[in-house]
Amino acid sequence: MPYSYDSENLFAKILRGEIPCDKVHETQHSLAFRDIAPKAPDHVLVVPKGAYVNFDDFCRHAPDAEIVDLMRMTGEVCKALGVEDKGFRAIANAGQHGLQEVPHFHLHILAGKSLGPILDRSILNG
Ligand code: AMP
């Protein structure tokens, strides 16, 4: 079944300027802003301006120019955060099992401290 996009989701409202955000970077097709409840000293969300529900939807349906734009901008965000030395983590939650809260594709960029194992062992064994 194709994904159905809810244009009233929180990030759609941010993209329309109806809700403010702490902008880090903006390009023709993408926007990066700080997470309102950061899980690391640096926690930036990178979102496409187009209407895509999750990473899978974006990868399958976005035009090449939008995909390239988002990836290049993620590189710029990483550079601005200065992650080359200590590293970072990029996460894309999707759907029910991925515990995605906001149904507009976004990439979490987390940096500034050691982030621990990627998944809790209890989840892997459960
Ligand atoms: P996810 O669970 O992957 O959908 O992540 C949604 C993220 O959006 C969470 O980390 C929230 O803290 C973040 N968030 C929610 N509302 C806002 C907002 N108004 N501005 C920035 N980030 C937000």
Side-chain angles (χ1 to χ4, degrees):
M1 199 165 92
Y3 291 113
S4 157
Y5 183 80
D6 170 15
S7 59
E8 291 307 307
N9 78 74
L10 198 58
F11 295 169
K13 290 180 180 176
I14 286 177
L15 286 163
R16 289 196 296 265
E18 295 167 12
I19 293 176
C21 72
D22 184 0
K23 185 161 78 175
V24 172
H25 201 49
E26 183 169 12
T27 60
Q28 182 185 1
H29 297 299
S30 314
L31 178 69
F33 53 92
R34 290 197 174 268
D35 196 293
I36 204 165
K39 316 300 186 291
D42 285 313
H43 187 171
V44 174
L45 302 173
V46 179
V47 311
K49 291 183 179 177
Y52 305 101
V53 172
N54 61 26
F55 201 7
D56 169 40
D57 189 19
F58 181 68
C59 291
R60 285 200 280 150
H61 301 123
D64 290 359
E66 294 183 27
I67 293 174
V68 169
D69 185 276
L70 184 124
M71 289 297 162
R72 293 276 185 228
M73 181 158 105
T74 301
E76 292 302 320
V77 168
C78 288
K79 186 178 170 193
L81 296 178
V83 300
E84 286 94 343
D85 185 26
K86 299 278 189 182
F88 69 101
R89 182 169 292 153
I91 298 174
N93 296 320
Q96 187 183 352
H97 283 181
L99 297 185
Q100 181 181 9
E101 288 172 28
V102 180
H104 179 109
F105 167 49
H106 50 282
L107 204 53
H108 296 256
I109 304 296
L110 298 136
K113 72 171 186 182
S114 178
L115 296 160
I118 187 166
L119 288 177
D120 190 301
R121 285 211 170 275
S122 63
I123 295 171
L124 294 174
N125 298 333

